[in-house]
């Protein structure tokens, strides 16, 4: 009969051998990643790499992005935060890349804001690039609205057709939940039309188109949007129709038609009154004829009664 301690020793030896084989396999698998992290001062241990795999996180992605952040001088980005963003379905590499661009451009952007923007479906890299290199938006945009100009009418009745170019910079603090580019275009378009309408004469706008830009900028149209308006430039402005004259002509035509209708109404009333008078005349003439017919009868009756005598 074998000694129980011998059996226990053999079992422990077998378990140790299995654990050693597993350790060697894991060490061989993650050794290169660990060396990369260690040499780059990314502070990711070998056991952390193993636990990443158990949590269904791709270790190579976390190591690469952590090394990228450390080499770029970003501090405060924890490995757990990278893993959490990866598990949430975010693009870790894109967020770190955007943070590096923002850091190099001295733009205030932290990990929480950047990861929230990425999870919201926005392109965080494009947003940061727009903050560094402002974007120019056509107002109106013919591809979206089908219109090529913004039409406004000055107080003198002359129509002006304007096209503007709006330079915007991304407002990272309001990128999540802020209004989009379409809102900027709509607000600027409304502001330009209103600014043209407030001018006493179209010549004032033609002589100095910047009055429109200044008035629109002073309205704070970028409030609650994902952009900050840098400038509004009037790219082109043309004279359109004389809307005031056309409206006055239309009003005059309408007044003429109203006057004609009223005159026709009075003529019809006069004709009706004339016909009524003719009918009354005919009626009175008939009464006269009837009265004249009664005269001989009255004379005969008076003669028979002796009331009528001839004067000699």
């Amino acid at each position: 009969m074998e000694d129980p301690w011998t059996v226990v020793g053999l079992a422990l030896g077998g378990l140790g051998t299995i654990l050693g084989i597993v350790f060697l396999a894991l060490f061989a698998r993650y050794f290169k990643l660990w060396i990369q992290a260690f040499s780059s001062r990314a502070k990711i241990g070998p056991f952390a790499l193993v636990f990443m795999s158990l949590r269904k996180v791709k270790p190579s992605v976390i190591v690469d992005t952590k090394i990228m952040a450390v080499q770029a001088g970003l501090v405060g980005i924890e490995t757990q935060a990278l893993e959490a963003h990866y598990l949430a379905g975010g693009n870790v590499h894109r967020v770190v890349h955007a943070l590096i661009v923002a850091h190099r451009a001295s733009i205030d952007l932290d990990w929480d804001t950047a990861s929230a923007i990425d999870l919201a479906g926005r392109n965080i890299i494009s947003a940061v690039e727009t903050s560094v290199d402002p974007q120019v938006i056509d107002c109106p945009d013919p591809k979206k609205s089908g219109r090529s100009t913004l039409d406004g009418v000055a107080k003198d009745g002359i129509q002006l057709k304007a096209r503007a170019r709006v330079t915007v910079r991304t407002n990272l603090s309001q990128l999540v939940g802020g209004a989009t580019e379409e809102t900027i275009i709509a607000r600027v378009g409304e502001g330009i039309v209103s600014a043209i309408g407030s001018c006493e004469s179209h010549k004032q706008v033609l002589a100095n188109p910047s009055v429109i830009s200044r008035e629109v900028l002073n309205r704070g149209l970028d409030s609650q949007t994902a952009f900050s308006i840098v400038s509004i430039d009037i790219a082109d402005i043309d004279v359109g129709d004389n809307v005031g004259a056309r409206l006055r002509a239309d009003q005059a035509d309408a007044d003429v038609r109203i006057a004609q209708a009223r005159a026709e109404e009075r003529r019809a009333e006069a004709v009706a009154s004339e016909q009524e008078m003719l009918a009354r005349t005919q009626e009175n003439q008939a009464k006269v004829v009837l009265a004249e017919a009664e005269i001989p009868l009255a004379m005969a009756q008076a003669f028979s009664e002796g009331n009528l005598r001839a004067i000699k």
Side-chain angles (χ1 to χ4, degrees), residues 34-53:
W34 177 72
I35 288 296
Q36 289 177 352
F38 179 78
S39 62
S40 302
R41 294 174 296 172
K43 298 181 181 180
I44 300 178
F47 291 104
L49 297 174
V50 175
F51 292 144
M52 286 181 196
S53 296

Side-chain angles (χ1 to χ4, degrees), residues 12-29:
L12 291 176
L15 180 61
T17 302
I18 294 173
L19 291 176
I21 294 173
V22 172
F23 176 77
L24 290 175
L26 293 175
F27 184 78
R29 180 178 179 182

Side-chain angles (χ1 to χ4, degrees), residues 137-261:
I137 303 174
D138 290 326
C139 183
D141 190 349
K143 297 179 181 178
K144 296 180 180 179
S145 63
R147 299 180 56 186
S148 58
T149 59
L150 294 167
D151 301 341
V153 181
K155 291 184 179 180
D156 60 357
I158 303 300
Q159 182 188 54
L160 295 177
K161 299 176 177 290
R163 288 189 303 107
R165 295 177 67 83
V166 185
T167 303
V168 297
R169 178 183 289 118
T170 303
N171 188 350
L172 295 174
S173 61
Q174 294 185 357
L175 191 58
V176 177
T180 58
E181 178 180 322
E182 286 75 11
T183 302
I184 291 289
I185 295 176
R187 289 183 180 181
V188 171
E190 178 186 358
I192 290 175
V193 173
S194 177
I196 293 175
S198 63
C199 294
E200 295 294 334
S201 171
H202 71 286
K203 296 179 181 179
Q204 178 184 355
V205 181
L206 293 176
N208 188 14
S210 62
V211 297
I212 299 177
S213 303
R214 288 197 301 268
E215 184 172 345
V216 174
L217 280 174
N218 292 335
R219 296 189 177 191
L221 302 179
D222 52 6
S223 175
Q224 302 299 320
T225 66
F227 299 95
S228 297
I229 297 178
V230 179
S231 66
I232 299 176
D233 303 304
I234 304 300
D236 187 22
I237 186 166
D238 296 322
V239 178
D241 299 333
N242 192 334
V243 177
R246 188 179 66 214
L247 292 176
R248 288 192 294 270
D250 293 342
Q251 184 63 46
D253 291 340
D255 292 341
V256 169
R257 288 193 295 269
I258 293 173
Q260 289 176 345

Side-chain angles (χ1 to χ4, degrees), residues 61-83:
V61 174
I62 304 301
V63 171
D64 290 343
T65 52
K66 187 67 179 290
I67 291 174
M68 207 165 66
V70 171
Q71 294 298 319
L74 297 178
V75 295
I77 301 179
E78 301 293 337
T79 305
Q80 291 80 0
L82 296 173
E83 291 186 51

